[in-house]
């Protein structure tokens, strides 16, 4: 998000029951500033719904294991998992109320895949994520304002 959007958000004199941070956390260069703004615009009993890719996704682990590197989306500035998201939220006055590991249900056959092995990769990774949910491809977090004033 641009600095201009953050500045406009700061000028917004409203509080909301729900603030949605959907698939943008990984794109911002200063996630702390993002969550400061989220907290500022949440009602005291409001929630923030946050979705982001999981850095501990099985596909990433397998790519590092067998290829020596992970596929990096050049548009992503940061990668998160349960632990890093918990710390980041805590440092900015938010805490986790509910947390979910999500499987990707939008799978479709991609014609550019040239081998059966590549085509079979998705069902195998999905089964692995079902076995160990911490390795699911996506995270969904419901956060609320911290009740204590200590943000660390």
């Amino acid at each position: 998000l641009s600095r201009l959007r953050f500045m406009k958000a700061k000028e917004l004199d409203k509080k909301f029951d729900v603030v949605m941070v959907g698939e943008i956390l990984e794109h911002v260069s200063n996630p702390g500033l993002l969550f400061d703004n989220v907290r500022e615009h949440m009602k005291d009993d409001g929630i923030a719904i946050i979705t982001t890719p999981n850095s501990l996704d099985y596909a990433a682990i397998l790519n590092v294991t067998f290829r020596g590197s992970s596929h990096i989306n050049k548009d992503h500035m940061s990668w998160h998992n349960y632990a890093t998201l918990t710390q980041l939220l805590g440092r900015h006055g938010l805490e986790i109320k509910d947390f979910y590991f999500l499987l990707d249900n939008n799978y479709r056959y991609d014609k550019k895949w040239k081998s059966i092995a590549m085509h079979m990769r998705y069902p195998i990774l999905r089964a692995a994520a079902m076995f160990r949910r911490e390795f699911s491809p996506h995270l969904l977090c419901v956060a609320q304002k911290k009740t204590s004033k200590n943000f660390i």
Side-chain angles (χ1 to χ4, degrees):
L1 293 176
S2 70
R3 177 172 278 155
L4 179 61
R5 285 187 186 166
F6 278 133
M7 289 171 61
K8 286 182 180 179
K10 284 191 108 20
E11 295 169 4
L12 185 63
D13 190 24
K14 289 186 177 181
K15 303 264 184 185
F16 300 93
D17 294 319
V18 178
V19 177
M20 183 71 190
V21 183
E23 301 299 314
I24 63 167
L25 172 60
E26 63 277 10
H27 295 276
V28 297
S29 59
N30 188 341
L33 179 60
L34 171 68
F35 285 125
D36 287 343
N37 277 287
V38 166
R39 186 177 190 287
E40 182 177 328
H41 293 292
M42 287 171 60
K43 289 183 178 177
D44 287 340
D45 61 345
I47 60 169
I49 299 174
I50 303 148
T51 63
T52 190
N54 183 6
S55 65
L56 296 178
D57 160 24
Y58 257 128
I61 293 168
L62 289 175
N63 279 333
V64 170
T65 303
F66 294 108
R67 293 184 177 170
S69 67
S70 180
H71 168 74
I72 301 295
N73 183 329
K74 295 182 192 287
D75 292 331
H76 290 187
M77 303 297 292
S78 60
W79 293 88
H80 297 279
N81 57 49
Y82 178 82
T84 62
L85 197 52
T86 301
Q87 287 182 6
L88 180 61
L89 291 170
R91 290 177 182 171
H92 295 278
L94 300 166
E95 61 188 1
I96 293 175
K97 179 178 179 182
D98 291 305
F99 198 90
Y100 305 91
F101 295 93
L102 304 177
L103 295 173
D104 185 359
N105 290 323
N106 296 323
Y107 169 74
R108 63 180 175 76
Y109 177 74
D110 189 339
K111 291 179 183 176
K112 70 182 177 186
W113 289 2
K114 296 181 178 156
S115 72
I116 293 175
M118 285 299 291
H119 183 62
M120 292 303 299
R121 180 174 175 242
Y122 177 81
I124 292 168
L125 292 174
R126 182 174 164 78
M130 289 173 66
F131 177 68
R132 290 293 304 202
R133 64 190 181 128
E134 295 84 0
F135 297 121
S136 296
H138 300 282
L139 308 174
L140 186 147
C141 174
V142 179
Q144 62 190 11
K145 287 185 175 182
K146 267 190 171 182
T147 52
S148 72
K149 297 293 181 190
N150 184 6
F151 290 172
I152 297 181

